[in-house]
């Protein structure tokens, strides 16, 4: 019969392995944290960009929300993208003789806010009417 070898580790081997794991964690954690922050920022930028494109496309297509259609069909003037504060924005449809209809309201992910204060809204008018920018 063969005797099975008994695996045993000395205290020094366990300490060396623990120190190596600790060094790897200490060096690697900041890189992972920075990568995570960058990905969060990129995702928020992509969200804002896609919402701006969506507002522009809806205006160009003349896509009306249901509130513009009932009870009497109202013409669509524009779609606007407006910052309410540093981390919240809204997309609104502007139909003739109606108050703006909120199509989407979005908060940026926690820990993120816009860094600029000059541009507060962008208005995409229907075909042939152009674009309006406003700020402080």
């Amino acid at each position: 019969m063969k005797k099975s070898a008994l695996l045993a580790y000395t205290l020094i081997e366990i300490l060396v392995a623990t120190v190596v794991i600790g060094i790897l964690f200490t060096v690697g954690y900041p890189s992972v944290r920075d990568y995570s922050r960058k990905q969060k920022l990129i995702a928020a930028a992509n969200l804002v960009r896609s919402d701006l494109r969506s507002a522009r496309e809806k205006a160009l297509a003349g896509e009306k929300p249901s509130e513009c259609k009932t009870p009497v069909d109202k013409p669509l003037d524009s779609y606007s993208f407006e910052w309410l504060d540093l981390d919240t924005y809204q997309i609104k449809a502007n139909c003739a003789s109606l108050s703006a209809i909120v199509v989407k309201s979005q908060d940026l992910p926690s820990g993120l806010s816009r860094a600029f204060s000059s541009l507060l809204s962008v208005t995409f008018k229907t075909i042939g009417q152009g674009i309006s920018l406003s700020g402080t």
Side-chain angles (χ1 to χ4, degrees):
M1 279 181 23
K2 285 185 175 183
K3 291 184 179 179
S4 60
L6 180 63
L7 294 177
Y9 297 102
T10 64
L11 182 59
I12 292 179
E13 291 171 328
I14 292 173
L15 288 175
V16 167
T18 305
V19 167
V20 168
I21 290 171
I23 290 171
L24 289 174
F25 180 77
T26 303
V27 170
Y29 180 72
S31 298
V32 170
R33 187 183 63 218
D34 289 343
Y35 177 77
S36 174
R37 286 179 181 169
K38 286 178 186 176
Q39 291 303 311
K40 187 177 179 181
L41 181 60
I42 289 169
N46 287 338
L47 177 65
V48 171
R49 181 178 30 214
S50 70
D51 284 341
L52 276 165
R53 285 183 180 162
S54 173
R56 183 188 69 199
E57 289 170 3
K58 287 181 180 191
L60 288 174
E63 184 180 320
K64 297 180 190 179
S66 58
E67 292 87 345
C68 287
K69 297 177 184 175
T70 56
V72 178
D73 194 25
K74 304 282 184 184
L76 178 68
D77 292 333
S78 62
Y79 272 85
S80 59
F81 179 97
E82 299 177 2
W83 286 98
L84 301 178
D85 52 36
L86 291 178
D87 62 353
T88 304
Y89 62 87
Q90 287 183 340
I91 297 175
K92 297 178 182 179
N94 304 305
C95 297
S97 71
L98 290 176
S99 60
I101 300 161
V102 177
V103 176
K104 181 177 183 179
S105 184
Q106 181 70 46
D107 292 328
L108 293 178
S110 63
L112 293 178
S113 65
R114 66 182 166 102
F116 55 91
S117 61
S118 61
L119 184 64
L120 297 178
S121 70
V122 178
T123 301
F124 298 100
K125 297 181 180 178
T126 55
I127 293 180
Q129 294 184 8
I131 296 175
S132 297
L133 301 174
S134 69
T136 58

